[in-house]
């Protein structure tokens, strides 16, 4: 069927008209708009299937899943004329723009686009038929439809909440140019729409089929002229609000901020001088969104080569509520990057002594832990691929696997100096050891960098390691070297290094290797990032750490799912501090050890329990076993969505609520008392996202359940007594 569509499409488009016989291969949407769903997709996604349709007039193609729709006019050239949230009716297109923009050999070209709109504050349907194409732009010549494809050959080997890769439909628009200088250059613009998610993915492929080379300086893969979020007579683009009900995430983010918005390197909000009826007198309203990588690409394509742009995900939101928008974003990650739902129970070991590694593996097997990570400072060197080193660590991995335990380890890439030949070259001074973001760093495309990537692949493959904890993945450093074998110069250095880094993570995912990395590579295969904390705080007292850790959990789970972040528990001295900061000897600090575990496991967050062992006495062992058994009993609900109840402030109770309407346990509440005396409180629990509508059965810990009627806001009020400096939990069924 896809081949038939391609052939018919080429015949119809090459003649400049779209025949009904061609578009008849696609289903027709009545009135060019699907009926919006009446269900809340965050509670029930059943039936929300993505589809690609023809419009009733045969001029447009429509992508929709009952939650959102994007409509693209196909003639006389391709351009998006409608992009809306079907649940709210909010329109995101006020002005028609090209579907993409390229800079090739220093010259700028539009891909698609229609012209003739004179009022850019809004778009009326009756205007569209009068719009014209520009012959100098890349012209639509074909399109194809296929099931959604996934970039990662993901092989989950740990506990995973969602093992389902995303499903949906893809539309590809094929463009060529009539300009003699661009003959043999093909451009594909791709759109993917997901089942059950109000989001689109968009990217561009540039293909060189001519005999000569072409340099791709830049690809702008998305251009949306959207209604403004606010009107202000004066104000700069930096000061004014950007549209709030569309969330953009690209696979081009770095800098170790541990938060996407601060890591994003491709979303650009711009002004629109053609929008002359805007309120801002200086035309400074930020209402034009473009996606392209900072620093450009600078990649030269030989004959037969192709290049893929940044991949953008556009999530349409239906609320200004922080929690609901966070839930939508977290559900997006669970859908488009299900590897982030992997969440093994791991311990950080500070030794590579084979006997100690085996002892800790045995402790993990006895207590229910699932993975040992040979931590920073342990002495592990993955860059040593000598036969002796490979044999040493393969024996450790084999022993762990024989006990049902996974084994992995730490490797540092950035924040280190190699030498003048291999370090990044500062574009300003032309010197090494001057221009790195974190002081010192090698270039990933240097000879050393390329060898490093191969050594990591070799070490993991030959030892059978199950995890890479990668500290300092490529952080975005530019490199002006013209002698490094992996890149040609400054122009392509960032793009090439980024692709090398992402390629490593995609390869490791295909081998079932889990990845901890303190940077935002989630869309290319990393599984976990730091929750967000200040390392020196772990030198503070255990009492301080308990409250600070709960604050870190509360703050770090608004946009990330619990499984996407790791915390930290120093069993031994870390970043300074005295005996009051550490847990060793564990048997002497059992209450603190138990509560720190319960805080993290109760949030669904794995912490790095860093030290030489998990227990030192039978009593300590029993404590660890009890906590892990509790976590595994409630593992599904603890890895489900999280509602923020009250932020820890050291003055009164604090707590969180896990919710999942698909489970027998619809909710699990964790409540904490930081005070030195017991307290009794009446606490309102918002249960809307549990899916319950009339009554809730709630029990404290394993006690007897009580029935509570839900009010009109889907809330119940419960009275709870919290022990001094302690905690409790409630189960909602």
């Amino acid at each position: 069927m896809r081949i038939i569509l391609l052939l018919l499409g080429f015949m119809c488009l090459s003649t400049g008209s779209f025949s009904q016989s061609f578009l008849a291969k696609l289903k027709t949407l009545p009135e060019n708009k699907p009926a919006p769903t009446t269900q809340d997709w965050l509670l029930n996604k059943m039936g929300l299937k993505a589809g690609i349709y023809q419009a009733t007039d045969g001029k447009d193609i429509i992508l929709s899943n009952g939650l959102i729709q994007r409509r693209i006019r196909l003639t006389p050239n391709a351009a998006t004329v409608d992009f809306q949230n079907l649940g709210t009716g909010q329109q995101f297109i006020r002005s028609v723009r090209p579907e993409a923009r390229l800079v090739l050999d220093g010259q700028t070209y539009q891909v698609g686009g229609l012209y003739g709109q004179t009022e850019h504050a809004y778009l009326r349907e009756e205007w569209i038929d009068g719009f014209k194409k520009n012959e100098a732009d890349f012209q639509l010549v074909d399109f194809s439809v296929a099931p959604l494809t996934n970039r990662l050959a993901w092989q989950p080997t740990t506990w995973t909440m969602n093992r389902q890769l995303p499903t949906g439909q893809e539309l590809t628009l094929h463009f060529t140019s009539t300009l003699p200088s661009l003959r043999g250059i093909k451009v594909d613009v791709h759109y993917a729409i997901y089942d059950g998610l109000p989001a689109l993915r968009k990217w561009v492929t540039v293909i060189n089929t001519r005999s000569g080379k072409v340099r791709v300086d830049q690809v702008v893969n998305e251009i949306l002229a959207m209604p403004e979020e606010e009107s202000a007579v004066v104000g700069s683009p930096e000061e004014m609000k950007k549209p709030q009900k569309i969330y953009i995430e690209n696979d081009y983010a770095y800098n170790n901020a541990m938060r996407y918005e601060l890591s994003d390197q491709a979303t650009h909000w711009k002004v629109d001088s053609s929008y002359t009826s805007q309120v801002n007198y200086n035309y400074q309203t930020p209402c034009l969104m473009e996606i392209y990588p900072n620093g450009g690409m600078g990649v030269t394509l030989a004959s037969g080569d192709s290049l893929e742009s940044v991949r953008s995900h556009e999530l349409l939101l239906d609320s200004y509520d922080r929690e609901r928008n966070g839930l939508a974003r977290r559900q997006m990650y669970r859908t488009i990057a299900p590897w982030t739902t992997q969440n093994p129970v791991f311990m950080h070991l500070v030794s590579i002594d084979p006997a100690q590694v085996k002892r800790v593996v045995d402790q993990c097997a006895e207590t229910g832990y699932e993975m040992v990570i040979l931590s920073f400072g342990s002495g592990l060197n993955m860059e040593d691929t000598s036969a002796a080193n490979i044999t040493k660590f393969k024996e450790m991995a084999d022993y762990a696997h024989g006990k049902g335990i996974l084994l992995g380890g730490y490797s540092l890439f950035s924040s280190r100096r190699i030498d003048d030949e291999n370090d990044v070259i500062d574009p300003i001074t032309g010197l090494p050891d001057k221009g790195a973001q974190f002081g010192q760093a090698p270039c990933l495309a240097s000879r050393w960098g390329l060898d490093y990537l191969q050594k990591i692949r070799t070490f993991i493959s030959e030892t059978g390691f199950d995890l890479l904890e990668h500290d300092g993945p490529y952080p975005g450093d530019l490199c002006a070297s013209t002698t490094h074998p992996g890149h040609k110069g400054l122009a392509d250095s960032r793009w090439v290094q980024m692709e090398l880094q992402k390629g490593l993570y995609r390869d490791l995912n295909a081998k079932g290797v889990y990845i901890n990395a303190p940077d935002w590579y989630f869309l290319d295969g990393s599984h976990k990032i730091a929750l967000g904390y200040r390392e020196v705080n772990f030198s503070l007292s255990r009492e301080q750490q308990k409250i600070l850790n709960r604050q870190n959990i509360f703050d770090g789970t608004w946009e990330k799912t619990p499984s996407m972040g790791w915390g930290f528990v120093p069993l031994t001295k870390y970043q300074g501090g005295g005996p009051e900061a550490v847990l060793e000897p564990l048997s002497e600090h059992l209450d603190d050890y138990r509560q720190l575990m319960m805080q993290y496991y109760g949030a669904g967050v794995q912490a790095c329990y860093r030290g030489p062992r998990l227990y030192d006495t039978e009593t300590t062992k029993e404590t660890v076993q009890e906590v892990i058994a509790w976590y595994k009993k409630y593992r599904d609900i603890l890895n489900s969505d999280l509602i923020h109840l009250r932020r820890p402030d050291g003055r009164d109770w604090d707590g969180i609520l896990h919710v999942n309407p698909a489970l027998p346990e619809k909710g699990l509440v964790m409540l904490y008392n930081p005070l030195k005396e017991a307290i009794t409180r009446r606490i309102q629990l918002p249960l809307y996202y549990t899916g319950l509508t009339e009554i809730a059965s709630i029990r404290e810990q394993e006690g007897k359940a009580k029935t509570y009627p839900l009010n009109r806001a889907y809330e119940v009020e419960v009275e709870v007594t919290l022990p001094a400096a302690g905690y409790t939990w409630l189960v909602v069924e």
Side-chain angles (χ1 to χ4, degrees), residues 191-333:
Y191 312 76
I193 185 166
Y194 297 92
D195 294 335
L197 185 72
L200 284 169
R201 182 176 78 216
K202 187 181 179 191
W203 71 104
V204 171
T205 303
V206 181
I207 308 114
N208 181 19
T209 66
R210 66 190 188 186
S211 59
K213 298 178 181 179
V214 62
R215 189 180 71 249
V216 182
D217 301 303
Q218 186 63 283
V219 177
V220 182
N221 64 291
E222 181 65 296
I223 308 168
L224 292 177
M226 287 188 274
E228 58 268 44
E229 183 67 24
E230 67 175 358
S231 293
V233 175
V234 296
S236 70
E238 294 74 26
E239 296 170 317
M240 296 177 68
K241 291 180 180 177
K242 316 306 186 291
Q244 299 292 298
K245 289 192 177 179
I246 183 170
Y247 171 72
I248 309 292
E249 181 151 337
N250 312 295
D251 63 349
Y252 199 81
Y254 49 77
N255 75 2
N256 298 109
M258 315 294 176
R259 186 166 178 266
Y260 176 74
E261 284 85 348
L262 301 178
S263 303
D264 180 18
Q265 307 292 332
T267 304
H268 303 269
W269 289 98
K270 297 189 169 186
V271 301
D272 183 2
S273 60
S274 68
Y275 178 12
T276 56
S277 56
Q278 64 182 274
V279 169
N280 191 284
Y281 267 48
N282 295 316
Y283 304 147
Q284 293 296 293
T285 305
C287 55
L288 180 65
M289 191 274 294
E290 296 186 350
I291 304 293
Y292 56 87
N294 283 339
M297 296 176 172
V299 175
T300 298
L301 299 181
S303 179
D305 287 350
S306 63
L307 176 146
E308 282 194 356
S309 74
V310 169
R311 293 187 173 212
S312 304
H313 292 80
E314 301 165 11
L315 177 69
L316 302 191
L317 304 170
D318 56 16
S319 173
Y320 286 106
D321 178 71
R322 183 184 186 188
E323 192 77 87
R324 183 169 176 85
N325 288 345
L327 289 166
R329 182 161 157 186
R330 288 173 249 155
Q331 189 57 49
M332 181 185 78
Y333 293 131

Side-chain angles (χ1 to χ4, degrees), residues 646-675:
R646 187 176 189 277
R647 188 179 190 271
D649 59 10
R651 301 181 180 215
D652 207 335
W653 72 274
D654 58 86
I656 57 176
L657 161 65
H658 295 279
V659 294
N660 191 329
L663 295 177
E665 300 90 2
K666 305 296 182 185
L668 193 147
V669 188
M670 296 297 302
L671 299 171
Y672 299 93
N673 176 16
L675 306 178

